[in-house]
């Protein structure tokens, strides 16, 4: 889901049926609320079987559309801040593909050994400029200090039309 509203008046609209490995279908709406009063937001997602998934103090980060203006070229920007601790922002621009419509976009974080650490974006996106936050404390593994790489891959009509990798440094 993407919140097209505000924090105080959310308006969730479905973007994909699958989030964090959970197939939520169309019958659930996420709720982000501080359920335990610790000032950290918690995430609740219902499922079609009547169950509920609860993520306590989950860092909820999403993809932000910075501009709907159509860029003239594909571009992956250097993350900022860099070095970072614990959060950095990654920005990228997508022009209109030659056949029009959305493009399959993947933004992946790798460690210095080339192992995939996290996938931040894996969805169809239209032309525009986007920004994604990556928190090194997003899940329980608490990534160690060091060099990481982020790679943007854009596919259109089953062909890779853009692929670029940049380096960033996490300092604890």
């Amino acid at each position: 889901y993407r919140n097209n509203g505000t924090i105080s008046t959310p308006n969730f609209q479905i973007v994909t049926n699958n989030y964090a490995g959970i197939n939520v279908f169309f019958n659930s709406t996420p709720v982000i609320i501080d359920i335990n009063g610790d000032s950290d937001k918690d995430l609740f997602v219902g499922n079609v079987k009547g169950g509920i998934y609860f993520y306590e103090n989950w860092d909820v980060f999403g993809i932000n559309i910075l501009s709907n203006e159509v860029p003239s070229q594909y571009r992956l920007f250097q993350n900022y801040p860099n070095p970072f601790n614990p959060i950095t922002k990654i920005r990228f621009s997508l022009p209109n593909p030659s056949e029009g419509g959305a493009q399959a976009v993947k933004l992946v974080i790798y460690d210095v050994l080339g192992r995939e650490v996290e996938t931040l974006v894996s969805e169809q996106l239209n032309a525009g400029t986007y920004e994604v936050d990556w928190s090194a404390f997003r899940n329980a593994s608490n990534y160690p200090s060091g060099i990481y790489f982020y790679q943007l891959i854009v596919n259109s009509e089953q062909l890779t039309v853009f692929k670029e990798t940049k380096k960033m440094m996490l300092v604890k």
Side-chain angles (χ1 to χ4, degrees), residues 8-150:
S8 57
T9 33
N11 177 17
F12 290 106
Q13 295 193 345
I14 193 159
V15 174
T16 179
N17 292 344
N18 195 309
Y19 179 74
I22 303 166
N23 192 348
V24 296
F25 298 98
F26 291 99
N27 297 331
S28 63
T29 301
V31 175
I32 301 168
I33 188 170
D34 180 15
I35 193 70
N36 55 4
D38 66 355
S39 75
D40 287 325
K41 300 293 184 182
D42 307 305
L43 174 66
F44 290 84
V45 181
N47 65 29
V48 295
K49 295 179 182 174
I52 192 165
Y53 295 99
F54 167 62
Y55 297 92
E56 184 177 3
N57 299 330
W58 180 292
D59 287 334
V60 180
F61 294 101
I63 184 166
N64 299 313
I65 302 170
L66 297 180
S67 172
N68 288 322
E69 189 174 311
V70 178
S72 60
Q73 64 184 10
Y74 291 98
R75 187 159 179 207
L76 177 62
F77 296 85
Q78 186 62 50
N79 68 300
Y80 65 92
N82 189 31
F84 70 98
N85 178 16
I87 298 172
T88 191
K89 295 179 180 296
I90 301 171
R91 183 182 296 188
F92 58 91
S93 294
L94 307 172
N96 272 326
S98 57
E99 70 283 345
Q103 304 163 83
V105 177
K106 250 186 125 166
L107 181 60
V108 182
I109 307 292
Y110 297 94
D111 67 12
V112 74
L113 298 176
R115 296 178 296 209
E116 186 173 317
V117 170
E118 221 170 315
T119 298
L120 301 180
V121 177
S122 182
E123 60 186 88
Q124 297 284 325
L125 295 175
N126 292 314
T129 300
Y130 298 86
E131 187 174 78
V132 179
D133 291 339
W134 182 50
S135 167
F137 305 109
R138 193 170 184 172
N139 61 34
S141 61
N142 288 336
Y143 303 114
S145 294
I147 294 173
Y148 292 85
F149 297 92
Y150 58 102

